[in-house]
């Protein structure tokens, strides 16, 4: 998701969830994003590098005790800025793994354009350099065998084409990153194909029967969020199917009664306005995709 305002290095903290395996550490950059360190027997794995090199450097610093005696492998879950712009803080010899679709995104001129735009608005992005992954995989998955823990990288497109979630079977824990989000995830585009992929990815995570589903946004590991995300899309589909064509094709449908974000999910009254505006935008994207699927007769659930 987008930034809720500048997060500084001082705000970075290590945290965990009740019952979460102690070999996992949640690295929390304010309300912006969480990344995760997995300490396996044979190596450590950092899943995402936060939004700036300064934040990533600070994270490596406060984790230095855990990182000392084992090699570090990095996963970039997807090439959204809040998840990988910290890459340049890594040692040059650190291997960075991502899905092959990530390369396509980085090759797109939009990638540098976004950096230029954000740099012009926030000074904390001044020293960001786009550092590309060193290892990519095609297809459905890749396994990292850490000894006591296996990290199964699952291609879970839909939020973005390159998105990867991590399943750790020994502890029935899924690092869902942005495939599952509280209160709602966001689809990549209004194309029904992306919507179908996102719903299939969420179902893929549900069908693992995870004990913990660790999100990058929403600060929870409650597996019920997965079902709530699916219920949200089901209700959107049904709401669109229940009204006339003239209503469906209206501009600004997401602001009409019965189609607003709050009509589908409960929004914490304490949620900051900026965050609420962000999720309204996500809801608009999702509704546009649901309408497009409805009009073209595509089933996505
Ligand atoms: Zn994100």
């Amino acid at each position: 998701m987008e930034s809720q305002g500048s997060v500084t290095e001082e705000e970075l903290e290590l945290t965990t969830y009740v019952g979460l395996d102690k070999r996992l550490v949640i690295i929390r950059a304010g309300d912006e994003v969480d990344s995760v360190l997995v300490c396996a027997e044979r190596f450590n794995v950092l899943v995402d590098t936060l939004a700036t090199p300064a934040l990533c450097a600070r994270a490596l610093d406060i984790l230095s005790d855990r990182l000392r005696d084992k090699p570090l492998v990095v996963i970039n879950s997807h090439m959204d800025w809040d998840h990988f712009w910290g890459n340049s803080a890594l040692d040059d010899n650190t291997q960075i793994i991502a899905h092959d679709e990530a390369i396509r995104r980085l090759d797109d001129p939009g990638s540098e354009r976004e950096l230029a735009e954000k740099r012009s608005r926030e000074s904390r992005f001044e020293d960001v350099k786009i550092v590309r992954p060193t290892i990519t995989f095609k297809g459905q998955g890749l396994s990292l065998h850490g000894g006591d823990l296996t990290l199964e990288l699952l291609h879970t497109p839909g939020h973005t084409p390159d998105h990867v979630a991590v399943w750790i079977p020994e502890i029935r824990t899924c690092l869902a990153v942005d495939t599952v989000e509280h209160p709602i995830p966001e689809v990549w585009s209004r194309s029904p194909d992306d919507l179908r992929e996102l719903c299939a990815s969420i179902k893929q995570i549900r069908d693992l029967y995870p004990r913990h589903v660790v999100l990058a946004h929403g600060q929870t590991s409650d597996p019920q969020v997965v079902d709530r995300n699916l219920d949200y899309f089901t209700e959107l589909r049904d709401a669109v199917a229940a009204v006339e064509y003239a209503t469906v094709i209206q501009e600004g449908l997401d602001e009409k009664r019965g189609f607003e974000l709050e009509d589908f999910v409960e929004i914490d009254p304490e949620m900051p306005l900026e965050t609420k505006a962000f999720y309204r935008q996500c809801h608009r994207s999702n509704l546009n995709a649901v309408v497009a699927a409805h009009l073209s007769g595509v089933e996505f659930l």
Side-chain angles (χ1 to χ4, degrees):
M1 67 175 244
E2 293 290 320
S3 169
Q4 310 305 311
S6 273
V7 178
T8 62
E9 295 90 272
E10 292 73 41
E11 287 174 72
L12 203 74
E13 56 172 358
L14 305 183
T15 183
T16 188
Y17 296 110
V18 175
L20 192 71
D21 193 277
K22 295 283 173 277
R23 289 165 287 188
L24 272 59
V25 182
I26 311 294
I27 305 153
R28 178 155 296 158
D31 286 338
E32 187 165 76
V33 71
D34 288 356
S35 61
V36 182
L37 180 74
V38 182
C39 301
E41 246 165 29
R42 301 172 71 185
F43 43 73
N44 295 305
V45 183
L46 179 64
V47 182
D48 288 346
T49 60
L50 308 170
T52 67
L55 284 166
C56 183
R58 173 76 181 141
L60 295 173
D61 188 39
I62 55 180
L63 289 162
S64 58
D65 273 357
R66 292 171 189 260
L67 296 175
R68 195 162 294 146
D69 26 310
K70 271 177 257 173
L72 176 68
V73 177
V74 172
I75 296 169
N76 283 160
S77 66
H78 62 302
M79 298 301 162
D80 277 356
W81 63 271
D82 48 331
H83 298 265
F84 85 105
W85 277 5
N87 279 5
S88 68
L90 301 167
D91 280 349
D92 288 345
N93 56 8
T94 305
Q95 302 303 322
I96 305 173
I97 307 173
H99 192 271
D100 202 58
E101 285 288 332
I103 300 295
R104 203 192 304 245
R105 289 190 66 192
L106 295 179
D107 284 343
D108 189 289
S111 171
E112 285 291 344
R113 205 162 46 225
E114 184 180 33
L115 176 54
E117 260 168 41
K118 289 191 87 72
R119 223 181 238 154
S120 70
R121 274 185 276 133
E122 277 185 64
S123 60
R124 68 187 182 123
F125 296 118
E126 252 158 37
D127 58 347
V128 172
K129 277 197 271 326
I130 304 271
V131 174
R132 296 158 74 91
T134 55
I135 301 170
T136 60
F137 66 99
K138 290 190 167 85
Q140 293 307 302
L142 175 81
S143 295
L144 305 185
H145 301 276
D148 54 343
L149 297 175
T150 312
L151 284 81
E152 295 178 7
L153 280 62
L154 311 173
H155 186 214
T156 47
H159 171 66
T160 62
D162 57 331
H163 196 284
V164 168
V166 179
W167 170 238
I168 311 174
E170 293 87 352
I171 52 174
R172 305 207 66 76
T173 294
C174 182
L175 313 181
V177 196
D178 284 4
T179 296
V180 177
E181 189 159 338
H182 172 73
I184 55 168
E186 184 181 29
V187 69
W188 176 243
S189 79
R190 64 166 65 203
S191 154
D193 291 336
D194 288 326
L195 181 61
R196 198 175 46 216
E197 282 191 332
L198 177 59
C199 291
S201 293
I202 301 171
K203 281 184 189 169
Q204 187 184 353
I205 290 174
R206 177 197 62 189
D207 293 345
L208 295 166
Y209 296 100
R211 210 176 286 148
H212 291 275
V213 178
V214 177
L215 314 184
H217 310 288
Q219 307 189 347
T220 174
S221 74
D222 180 359
Q224 288 184 3
V225 179
V226 181
D227 285 323
R228 285 206 293 269
N229 281 183
L230 286 170
D231 290 348
Y232 161 75
F233 283 111
T234 305
E235 284 167 28
L236 265 187
R237 179 197 63 190
D238 295 348
V240 167
V243 292
E244 290 165 7
Y245 179 76
T247 306
V248 168
I249 58 165
Q250 264 176 23
E251 269 309 306
L253 182 61
D254 61 293
E255 286 164 6
K256 300 274 185 307
R257 204 189 308 173
F259 289 92
E260 289 180 277
L261 174 65
E262 287 86 344
D263 293 318
F264 299 92
V265 288
E266 220 171 284
I267 297 295
D268 180 354
E270 308 277 286
M271 183 185 275
L273 282 179
E274 265 184 295
T275 313
K276 211 178 286 179
F278 171 78
Y279 283 112
R280 287 223 168 91
Q281 181 57 51
C282 295
H283 174 65
R284 180 175 308 152
S285 308
N286 295 336
L287 184 57
N288 284 337
V290 169
V291 166
H294 176 73
L295 295 177
S296 53
V298 172
E299 283 187 31
F300 58 89
L301 271 164

